[in-house]
Amino acid sequence: MARWRDGRGTLVVHGGGGGATAVPLEIATSYRARTKGLLGRDGLEGALLLSPANGIHTFRMRIPIDVAYLDRRLNVIAVRTMPPGRLGRPRLRSRHVLEAEAGAMAEWGVEVGTRVTVEAADGRP
């Protein structure tokens, strides 16, 4: 598996029937970027990938968010919608966490068992 760097890219959600949805993605891999996450934002275009991560919180967030926990092969193992001010319980098999505005993941077809891929802006997988 490739190692990502802080920056931008594209999240590809592989749906049933061979279809795929491309979503703008911010990638946060450094401690500083992961710690900041969505704090202080009023919205997000696309999704935010936190890696490595197996749990999150929504303290000091302004908006409710969808959270998808991903295993090391980028399969979705859990999806939750969390209002501000909550502590999500860590998922033992989770290696990465996707965050998006509440309702977005259902639109994209992200659910337990879905596989996603990440394409960094520099073209690396």
Side-chain angles (χ1 to χ4, degrees), residues 62-76:
R62 298 178 179 168
I63 57 171
I65 62 171
D66 285 344
V67 179
Y69 298 88
L70 309 175
D71 67 12
R72 69 183 63 218
R73 292 189 178 104
L74 302 181
N75 295 309
V76 177

Side-chain angles (χ1 to χ4, degrees), residues 81-98:
T81 299
M82 294 178 61
R86 300 294 165 91
L87 178 63
R89 72 173 215 218
R91 305 288 171 171
L92 295 178
R93 290 184 15 236
S94 178
R95 296 294 179 262
H96 319 282
V97 174
L98 270 177

Side-chain angles (χ1 to χ4, degrees), residues 35-73:
T35 301
K36 183 172 191 257
L38 296 177
L39 297 178
R41 295 199 204 180
D42 293 321
L44 172 67
E45 172 114 12
L48 172 68
L49 175 70
L50 305 172
S51 180
N54 68 355
I56 60 112
H57 68 82
T58 58
F59 299 122
R60 295 181 17 225
M61 286 194 188
R62 298 178 179 168
I63 57 171
I65 62 171
D66 285 344
V67 179
Y69 298 88
L70 309 175
D71 67 12
R72 69 183 63 218
R73 292 189 178 104

